[in-house]
Amino acid sequence: MQHYFIDKPHKSTDFFVFTDSVIGYELCFRSCDSIFSKNKIDDGTRALLEAISNTQTLSGKGLDIGCGLGVVGIALIKKFGVFMDMIDINNTAVSLTKENLIKNNVQHSANAFYSDGFENVKENYDFIVTNPPIKTGKKLLFSLMDGAKEHLKDGAPLILVIRKDHGMESLKNYLIKIFGNAEILDRNKGYYILKSIKK
Ligand SMILES: C[S@@+](CC[C@H](N)C(=O)[O-])C[C@H]1O[C@@H](n2cnc3c(N)ncnc32)[C@H](O)[C@@H]1O
């Protein structure tokens, strides 16, 4: 089975542009077939952004793990004026995120770069956000949680979305194990938004 994060060679005809709105911003994305949620903003991503927009005040520099087309980082820059590092294991996703930062006029507020998990992540952040990869299994998911804890400043939050039927309870229990806390910020059509703070 081919996972959405596997790079494959592309022809110029594989690429297209779509627009979609989230948290009050109309955003424009260049996309292609092999990318997660290729022609609209994913429902889980939307739930994550709405919950953050309605309940949080973010500032400083954040990290988006698994940026895909760049939806999460771009929307958060628009909303909060933050700076974002945006990482993905898929080089096409990284290239498209770079293009989409420019398309949405926020290229001076972000760095997008290839990283398999935290391998190329050097900094500690004021917040980390993610609609994490699930299809790759619990081992990777939990290792991303470990990395997030390591790369957060003291007092900084990790905020993520996961479907209840994709292992929400076990992820929440793992967050409690490593962070000592996990709060359900919101739930929306089966999507749960979880927040843990590095103490
Ligand atoms: C559920 S998608 C979310 C994409 C995007 N943030 C969004 O909300 O539309 C998860 C993303 O994680 C990326 N990913 C998978 N494994 C990864 C890894 N080991 N390190 C970094 N990114 C990874 C995938 O390529 C994919 O773009």
Side-chain angles (χ1 to χ4, degrees), residues 39-99:
N39 52 18
K40 68 176 187 55
I41 294 176
D42 171 63
D43 289 342
T45 302
R46 185 178 296 285
L48 172 68
L49 287 168
E50 285 174 354
I52 292 173
S53 174
N54 291 335
T55 65
Q56 307 293 301
T57 305
L58 299 180
S59 61
K61 185 166 183 178
L63 176 71
D64 175 10
I65 309 168
C67 58
L69 294 173
V71 180
V72 173
I74 291 169
L76 294 181
I77 293 166
K78 294 272 186 195
K79 172 79 185 176
F80 296 106
V82 290
F83 193 96
M84 294 297 302
D85 277 352
M86 302 163 73
I87 59 167
D88 207 289
I89 197 173
N90 181 324
N91 278 311
T92 305
V94 174
S95 298
L96 287 168
T97 290
K98 286 180 178 169
E99 288 189 52

Side-chain angles (χ1 to χ4, degrees), residues 104-157:
N104 293 282
N105 291 313
V106 292
Q107 68 272 29
H108 301 303
S109 300
N111 284 321
F113 54 95
Y114 170 89
S115 188
D116 177 359
F118 282 81
E119 72 169 335
N120 296 328
V121 175
K122 307 288 175 226
E123 291 183 43
N124 290 348
Y125 294 92
D126 299 301
F127 60 94
I128 296 180
V129 287
T130 185
N131 179 354
I134 296 296
K135 293 178 184 170
T136 35
K138 249 186 201 179
K139 193 169 170 220
L140 172 72
L141 180 62
F142 286 6
S143 82
L144 293 176
M145 302 300 105
D146 294 336
K149 186 184 173 206
E150 203 176 304
H151 288 273
L152 280 168
K153 294 178 183 171
D154 289 344

